Amino acid sequence: MNWPHLALGLAMMMFISHSSSAEEVEMAVATGQAAPDFSLRDQNGETRTLSTYRHHWVVLYFYPKDDTPGCTQEACRFRDDLPALRKLGAEVLGVSVDNPESHAKFSSKYSLPFPLLADTDGKVARQYGALWSLAFIRFAKRQTFIIDPQGKIAKIYRQVRSETHSQEVIEDLKALQRSGR
């Protein structure tokens, strides 16, 4: 094995994963904008459309891959905090480029009580500026969007720590609701 080449390859992947292409920056949404609508299949094969959640707060979180350590931790934190989020009138939707079958296994394994949406072509992640791609490899970046009951983006998290993120979302939802958003 050629260790210098392996180290260089890993360093390049890390750099690329933290970089954004002009297309991604162009497609990224901003706070105050209408959230791009979408229709995606969930882990049960049901089609979920963002517009059906109008009049609710939505926590739309993108994650790289089912059943990986950080993604599992983040999903389980949202699962455990779901009663508090729902008490605030919020629904949680997870999105990755994995297929519905992968989502079904992940959801079942960890008893996830919210929809995991299959954005297999990466179109929705791209609209939100949350797609990372290199040649044939595509992942959703770990990013979250709070969408208000009128369908506008109220808060964007471009940097997420999976172990504390759901609590951060709860606190920010409370603040947004206190401020009349």
Side-chain angles (χ1 to χ4, degrees), residues 67-74 142 162:
D67 211 6
T68 56
C71 298
T72 299
Q73 182 178 48
E74 184 177 24
R142 190 179 313 283
S162 58

Side-chain angles (χ1 to χ4, degrees), residues 27-85:
M27 296 296 289
V29 295
T31 303
Q33 271 185 276
D37 199 12
F38 56 78
S39 292
L40 296 172
R41 286 186 341 160
D42 70 10
Q43 70 267 36
N44 301 314
E46 185 178 332
T47 299
R48 305 285 183 142
T49 303
L50 181 62
S51 59
T52 62
Y53 292 91
R54 189 64 58 93
H55 308 298
H56 293 274
W57 290 89
V58 174
V59 177
L60 180 67
Y61 84 96
F62 291 86
Y63 65 97
K65 186 94 178 117
D66 289 337
D67 211 6
T68 56
C71 298
T72 299
Q73 182 178 48
E74 184 177 24
C76 289
R77 300 286 177 152
F78 277 123
R79 175 200 64 204
D80 296 346
D81 290 335
L82 193 59
L85 288 157

Side-chain angles (χ1 to χ4, degrees), residues 15-28 125-135 138 141 143 158:
F15 172 77
I16 291 167
S17 71
H18 289 89
S19 300
S20 294
S21 69
E23 179 184 354
E24 288 170 334
V25 170
E26 200 175 286
M27 296 296 289
R126 184 175 292 112
Q127 287 178 305
Y128 282 83
L131 184 68
W132 176 83
S133 61
L134 176 65
R138 271 194 325 241
K141 297 176 189 175
Q143 297 182 1
R158 296 285 183 198

Side-chain angles (χ1 to χ4, degrees), residues 7 9 25 49 62 65 88-90 100 112 117 134 137 160 179:
V25 170
T49 303
F62 291 86
K65 186 94 178 117
L88 294 168
L112 302 177
L117 306 177
L134 176 65
I137 302 170
V160 171
S179 72

Side-chain angles (χ1 to χ4, degrees), residues 143-159:
Q143 297 182 1
T144 301
F145 302 81
I146 295 178
I147 301 167
D148 71 18
Q150 291 73 44
K152 294 190 187 249
I153 296 174
K155 177 91 177 166
I156 298 173
Y157 304 86
R158 296 285 183 198
Q159 300 291 320

